[in-house]
Amino acid sequence: MIRQASTEDAEAIARIYNQNLDEQGFANCDLTPQTAEYRLKAMMESGDRYPTFVSTSDDGRVLGWSSLKRWSTRPDIADVAEIAIYVDRSRRGNIVGAQLLCHLLARPGRTSSGRFATMTSSWRASSIRRAWGWPSSARSGRSSASSRA
């Protein structure tokens, strides 16, 4: 089940985020672990326009999370939302990430303009492109950093 994250999810969200630091040495260009307090503050500041969602198991355990945040304050791209998706290492390869992405992309108008941007490691990029049928360089009319959903 996918639902909007609550304050009780902050610890699990931080734990899953920090797994990327353990495995890759970075997560979304961060080099230091995040605390539950940091994630909770980020969720509160993002509000309803840029929400955080969690995918949970039948027993309520958080399997992964996704969020949107403002990509830039530049007027010409101020409506672009950055996508972040993190999946617990024990659940990777089990469509949790794809479900979270579909949930975000199905929400244009409620959370953003429908223009999104993301950064991903090269080893993940090819599977994302194949899953969505995108060419080897997904581009919009303006830049390679954003694409229309």
Side-chain angles (χ1 to χ4, degrees), residues 74-142:
R74 286 181 31 199
D76 59 331
I77 58 172
D79 64 337
V80 175
E82 178 183 352
I83 296 173
I85 298 173
Y86 293 89
V87 177
D88 184 279
R89 68 171 57 112
S90 69
R91 299 300 298 172
R92 293 180 192 153
N94 292 300
I95 74 165
V96 173
Q99 290 171 332
L100 286 163
L101 179 60
C102 288
H103 185 79
L104 287 177
L105 295 179
R107 299 181 59 82
R110 290 188 283 182
T111 54
S112 75
S113 67
R115 294 192 326 150
F116 303 99
T118 193
M119 294 184 296
T120 187
S121 55
S122 60
W123 60 272
R124 288 187 178 135
S126 62
S127 64
I128 293 168
R129 285 192 305 267
R130 280 193 308 272
W132 288 88
W134 290 338
S136 61
S137 179
R139 296 175 184 256
S140 73
R142 292 191 205 154

Side-chain angles (χ1 to χ4, degrees), residues 35-97:
T35 63
E37 293 77 20
Y38 178 89
R39 294 307 318 165
L40 182 58
K41 181 181 177 194
M43 286 190 305
M44 300 305 241
E45 289 175 353
S46 295
D48 290 334
R49 182 159 172 87
Y50 301 107
T52 299
F53 297 97
V54 292
S55 174
T56 60
S57 63
D58 291 339
D59 64 359
R61 188 171 64 93
V62 175
L63 306 175
W65 63 275
S66 61
S67 68
L68 296 173
K69 71 178 185 178
R70 189 173 190 175
W71 177 256
S72 174
T73 58
R74 286 181 31 199
D76 59 331
I77 58 172
D79 64 337
V80 175
E82 178 183 352
I83 296 173
I85 298 173
Y86 293 89
V87 177
D88 184 279
R89 68 171 57 112
S90 69
R91 299 300 298 172
R92 293 180 192 153
N94 292 300
I95 74 165
V96 173

